[in-house]
């Protein structure tokens, strides 16, 4: 039971760790999306003001947007893999919790059976003592 409890504790720590990583990755994705939006807003404001935008600036922004989109795609893939890993850790944790509960129930059942047997043996001894006292008094 102690071994299973340790395994469950380890599984809880692993689940918490992968959950923390997932939240960090989601936060990183939000940052990337904000950076892309900021770049798009800058480019949009630049073109709205009526400024003449040369090809070099357009190419620079285009490269930036492509680079950010690639980073976003990579981050989404990382989040997907981490989500799958988190699900596996959760499944393992749930299996260990279920197994630990079944062990605890079995332990409680054995204890009840032992106590019942002990009570039965005590009652037998008391009955025998009562019988011997009854035989002596007659």
């Amino acid at each position: 039971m102690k071994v299973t409890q340790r395994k469950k504790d380890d599984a809880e720590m692993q689940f918490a760790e992968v959950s923390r990583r997932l939240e960090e990755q989601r936060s990183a994705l939000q940052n990337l999306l904000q950076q892309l939006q900021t770049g798009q807003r800058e480019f949009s404001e630049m073109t709205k003001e009526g400024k003449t935008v040369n090809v070099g600036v357009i190419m620079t922004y285009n490269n930036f947007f492509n680079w950010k989109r690639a980073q976003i795609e990579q981050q989404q893939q990382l989040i997907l893999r981490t989500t799958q890993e988190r699900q596996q850790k959760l499944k393992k944790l749930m299996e260990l919790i279920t197994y630990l509960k079944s062990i605890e129930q079995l332990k409680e059942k054995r204890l009840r059976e032992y106590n019942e047997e002990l009570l039965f043996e005590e009652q037998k001894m008391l009955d025998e003592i009562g019988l011997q006292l009854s035989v002596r008094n007659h």
Side-chain angles (χ1 to χ4, degrees):
M1 189 164 162
K2 288 180 183 179
V3 171
T4 305
Q5 181 65 42
R6 277 192 220 120
K7 285 181 181 179
K8 182 187 102 39
D9 293 345
D10 288 345
E12 284 175 341
M13 287 178 20
Q14 290 174 5
F15 178 73
E17 169 62 24
V18 75
S19 295
R20 182 193 58 76
R21 274 194 354 250
L22 182 60
E23 286 308 310
E24 288 175 357
Q25 291 167 359
R26 286 179 178 160
S27 177
L29 176 63
Q30 288 304 315
N31 288 337
L32 290 170
L33 291 169
Q34 283 180 326
Q35 291 170 5
L36 179 63
Q37 281 183 332
T38 301
Q40 288 172 335
R41 205 173 315 117
E42 286 175 6
F43 184 73
S44 178
E45 289 172 6
M46 186 183 302
T47 56
K48 282 183 184 176
E49 293 175 359
K51 293 181 181 177
T52 54
V53 181
N54 64 26
V55 175
V57 171
I58 292 173
M59 292 296 291
T60 301
Y61 272 99
N62 189 41
N63 288 338
F64 173 77
F65 295 148
N66 288 337
W67 178 57
K68 282 298 164 188
R69 286 186 188 107
Q71 285 182 316
I72 289 169
E73 177 66 27
Q74 287 175 346
Q75 193 65 28
Q76 288 172 333
Q77 291 298 319
L78 185 60
I79 288 172
L80 181 62
R81 285 191 302 272
T82 305
T83 300
Q84 291 170 344
E85 181 184 354
R86 183 176 179 265
Q87 289 172 341
Q88 290 171 349
K89 300 288 184 189
L90 179 59
K91 182 181 176 189
K92 182 179 178 183
L93 177 60
M94 296 308 292
E95 287 171 356
L96 286 167
I97 288 172
T98 302
Y99 183 65
L100 191 59
K101 282 182 182 180
S102 67
I103 289 174
E104 288 172 354
Q105 289 172 349
L106 184 60
K107 181 181 171 186
E108 289 172 7
K109 181 182 175 188
R110 296 280 190 245
L111 183 61
R112 275 194 312 272
E113 289 172 353
Y114 173 75
N115 286 334
E116 288 171 3
E117 191 175 314
L118 199 61
L119 225 73
F120 179 74
E121 291 297 322
E122 280 182 25
Q123 189 62 45
K124 245 171 71 172
M125 283 178 50
L126 289 174
D127 287 348
E128 193 170 314
I129 291 172
L131 184 62
Q132 288 176 2
L133 288 174
S134 173
V135 169
R136 286 186 193 165
N137 289 339
H138 280 77

